[in-house]
Amino acid sequence: MSNSEQGHTCVVGLAWGDEGKGKIVDLLCECYDFVVRFNGGANAGHTVCIGDESFALHLLPSGVLHPEKTSVVGPGVVIDPSAILEEIDGLAKRGVRVGENLRISDRAHVVMPYHKLEDQLSESSAQQGGQIGTTARGIGPCYADKMRRTSAVRICDLMNFDSLEPRLREIVCAKRVGLSAVYGQDVVLDVDVIIASLRADAARLKSFVTDTGVLLQEAVATGRRILFEGANGTLLDIDHGTYPYVTSSGTTANSVAPGAGVSARTVSHVVGVTKAYATRVGRGPFVSELNNEIGDHIRTQGNEFGTTTGRPRRCGWFDAVVNRYSASLGGVTEIALMHLDTLSGFDEVGMCVGYRLDGRDITTPPAHVDQLERVEPVFEMFPGWSEDVSRVGTIEELPENAKRYLRRVESAVGVPITIVSVGPERSQTIIGATCAMTEVNDAASS
Ligand code: IMP
């Protein structure tokens, strides 16, 4: 990023989520006025470590930890009112006040109790044929209602509760009948309880609600700087991910425009966050997976357990094929490579540099899940390094074998690495000498 460029930036995950986007957004925040969520919901889990304190955020943008920044939850996000209020209250208990600095879109859709119930029923019901392994946060059913329109509830509906209430009574009744029929059990949904709790939540949310599209368009027009914070990961994208084992929203920088309510020309820099190895939670194809003691070792070393669900993550070697695919799809301009420290101590470190399907080399992941399940990885092996790198401050100080590995990641993905993370804390970050990054470097060391 040169000095003359004053663009807006988007941070996205290049894999299946959990790449460490929260830490990168928190670091980059210093250079921006707004931090904006544009997709997903409480399925996301962003962990931000500040000093000895660790904050796990799900719906709130990581910017809320910086009260002088405006944090925005855009119209593309699906909001569980009780979950977002719980997060706000949890932060307040730890001395982080969320007030004027949080703006919530009046057009965002509401995750209702019946969405969460449907998500759980669909995952636990054997006859539904093939569960996705969702986070059970009601994300898919809420986006499905958004597309269906007639049964959807938006944040602006909550602001006009008297007109919503009769419609809600009909929706809840229809959901009870529908879910009972589909899942063959008597589903209990107490409409009075739902309405009372939603009414209370709506009253508390009111002060945060506004037309965030207009707010951000004005911010762009007046030269304020915006950081867009992607949730989940590119390979979980509803259109381009490993379908059907994906989430229900657009997870790349291409979804910033609809999900935040700004023009498609807004984002000029895209930071693709990815780990030095690969992980996945939930079901679905994972070509470079290591179902052996090496995978177990990565899980233990990297503490690879879900922030949102606590599930152990599946682990494997870095997959250059899908990272290249994700970077190209989302217009990624620079890479933040996370968890390099986790790879210390391996005799050899592997990288999946190619795919073979039915005896043929292929360069991109095939569309059909059956084909993707049949793909065999082509691994390249590198000599490992034994040194602890968690306090290394510059690329030059890294062990030669680690540098060689980073250079191969860059050449295989085709995008420069400008940030290398060697631990959870802000100070454990090697930052390239680019404009915004240098500012961040100064801020992190001050
Ligand atoms: P859903 O988003 O809860 O519907 O889950 C769909 C799939 O996406 C499941 O495999 C989840 O484990 C996965 N998923 C959704 N959000 C995240 C995330 O932020 N990190 C990792 N996996 C996620």
Side-chain angles (χ1 to χ4, degrees):
M1 230 179 281
S2 77
N3 271 326
S4 58
E5 292 173 337
Q6 283 292 308
H8 308 284
T9 298
C10 180
V11 173
V12 292
L14 296 185
W16 290 279
D18 310 316
E19 297 93 347
K21 299 177 290 290
K23 171 176 170 173
I24 298 303
V25 170
D26 181 62
L27 272 170
L28 294 179
C29 246
E30 308 281 345
C31 307
Y32 297 85
D33 305 300
F34 289 78
V35 181
V36 182
R37 275 280 305 266
F38 59 91
N39 76 306
N43 53 353
H46 293 173
T47 308
V48 182
C49 295
I50 302 179
D52 295 339
E53 292 215 71
S54 164
F55 297 87
L57 302 171
H58 298 284
L59 262 163
L60 293 173
S62 304
V64 288
L65 300 174
H66 303 260
E68 71 286 5
K69 313 285 171 195
T70 304
S71 288
V72 175
V73 182
V77 177
V78 289
I79 300 174
D80 177 342
S82 55
I84 200 166
L85 288 167
E86 222 170 86
E87 261 181 62
I88 292 170
D89 293 342
L91 286 178
K93 279 197 195 119
R94 297 175 66 183
V96 181
R97 210 187 84 76
V98 178
E100 287 280 291
N101 58 323
L102 175 66
R103 307 281 83 199
I104 295 176
S105 169
D106 49 7
R107 287 160 171 81
H109 281 249
V110 179
V111 177
M112 302 291 284
Y114 46 78
H115 291 139
K116 289 185 273 189
L117 183 63
E118 183 179 351
D119 209 353
Q120 287 153 18
L121 287 170
S122 143
E123 286 294 307
S124 58
S125 141
Q127 77 266 33
Q128 288 304 299
Q131 295 94 338
I132 304 290
T134 72
T135 59
R137 297 296 189 271
I139 308 298
C142 181
Y143 278 115
D145 269 342
K146 172 178 177 172
M147 296 305 162
R148 197 177 289 120
R149 289 154 290 167
T150 48
S151 48
V153 177
R154 298 195 295 167
I155 292 288
C156 56
D157 295 319
L158 299 187
M159 301 299 111
N160 191 355
F161 217 94
D162 289 341
S163 99
L164 170 66
E165 185 169 333
R167 194 165 74 83
L168 202 50
R169 286 188 180 278
E170 282 176 23
I171 294 172
V172 173
C173 179
K175 290 286 177 190
R176 190 172 52 225
V177 172
L179 291 177
S180 298
V182 171
Y183 294 101
Q185 51 181 277
D186 196 10
V187 165
V188 179
L189 285 170
D190 187 328
V191 69
D192 292 317
V193 171
I194 292 174
I195 284 173
S197 133
L198 209 52
R199 202 182 260 282
D201 289 347
R204 287 194 61 200
L205 285 176
K206 197 170 185 140
S207 63
F208 301 110
V209 176
T210 191
D211 184 337
T212 56
V214 167
L215 180 75
L216 293 176
Q217 289 153 31
E218 277 169 13
V220 171
T222 53
R224 315 293 301 283
R225 296 189 72 193
I226 307 176
L227 184 62
F228 297 96
E229 176 177 12
N232 323 125
T234 300
L235 302 170
L236 293 171
D237 184 276
I238 183 71
D239 293 305
H240 306 283
T242 51
Y243 196 90
Y245 299 101
V246 293
T247 190
S248 316
S249 66
T251 57
T252 73
N254 306 338
S255 292
V256 164
V262 293
S263 114
R265 288 180 289 128
T266 306
V267 173
S268 55
H269 297 93
V270 182
V271 181
V273 186
T274 192
K275 278 191 271 213
Y277 49 91
T279 64
R280 171 163 208 168
V281 276
R283 298 183 56 192
F286 182 1
V287 175
S288 67
E289 184 167 18
L290 296 166
N291 273 316
N292 56 24
E293 67 285 359
I294 301 176
D296 295 343
H297 192 53
I298 294 177
R299 183 177 311 107
T300 316
Q301 295 260 108
N303 191 24
E304 292 296 352
F305 297 88
T307 317
T308 304
T309 58
R311 289 180 288 181
R313 296 177 185 142
R314 299 156 63 191
C315 298
W317 292 132
F318 183 83
D319 185 337
V321 176
V322 287
N323 274 277
R324 191 171 54 229
Y325 169 82
S326 297
S328 167
L329 172 68
V332 170
T333 50
E334 50 205 88
I335 286 180
L337 193 81
M338 314 302 285
H339 274 271
L340 186 67
D341 54 307
T342 299
L343 292 187
S344 285
F346 285 86
D347 293 339
E348 283 191 304
V349 175
M351 186 185 301
C352 173
V353 293
Y355 278 9
R356 282 187 74 74
L357 175 63
D358 303 334
R360 281 181 306 111
D361 288 331
I362 55 170
T363 53
T364 53
H368 204 289
V369 70
D370 291 350
Q371 286 188 318
L372 199 46
E373 294 281 14
R374 287 209 307 280
V375 163
E376 291 165 40
V378 178
F379 285 125
E380 212 168 276
M381 298 308 291
F382 300 81
W385 54 95
S386 56
E387 297 90 332
D388 173 12
V389 297
S390 64
R391 291 289 157 198
V392 168
T394 63
I395 295 283
E396 291 71 36
E397 291 168 71
L398 284 172
E400 272 315 311
N401 285 345
K403 281 192 256 184
R404 185 184 310 167
Y405 182 71
L406 292 184
R407 282 197 295 273
R408 186 65 180 115
V409 170
E410 277 191 337
S411 70
V413 179
V415 178
I417 298 172
T418 57
I419 301 177
V420 178
S421 176
V422 291
E425 289 166 28
R426 279 184 196 176
S427 60
Q428 293 176 291
T429 317
I430 305 172
I431 296 169
T434 52
C435 163
M437 309 302 166
T438 310
E439 283 172 53
V440 169
N441 211 357
D442 293 339
S445 57
S446 64

